[in-house]
Amino acid sequence: MSPSLARSYRCHYHPKDRDGYPAPCDSGVLPFVQIRARDAENAQRIAHQITGCSISNVERLEEAAA
């Protein structure tokens, strides 16, 4: 995949506790990872592989206009 075709995505995930169960998020803000991928579905798969957690949502990050 060409780097010019990849887009940036922010993937929010539900963290796990030390026993592997979903941990409550006290602040109400889910942690996230930023991924470069060709589409949102691919970004979600990569984020799941990296974190090992369920992914809550995926947002495409747009580049700011100059």
Side-chain angles (χ1 to χ4, degrees), residues 35-47:
I35 306 290
R36 289 195 57 87
R38 64 178 177 257
D39 58 31
E41 185 177 345
N42 190 265
Q44 183 176 12
R45 287 186 183 133
I46 294 169

Side-chain angles (χ1 to χ4, degrees), residues 28-39:
V29 178
L30 293 174
F32 64 87
V33 292
Q34 285 190 206
I35 306 290
R36 289 195 57 87
R38 64 178 177 257
D39 58 31

Side-chain angles (χ1 to χ4, degrees), residues 2-30:
S2 170
S4 62
L5 297 178
R7 297 182 184 262
S8 293
Y9 293 90
R10 181 172 292 156
C11 303
H12 293 267
Y13 62 93
H14 293 280
K16 295 180 180 179
D17 64 12
R18 62 181 162 189
D19 296 323
Y21 297 105
C25 190
D26 296 334
S27 69
V29 178
L30 293 174

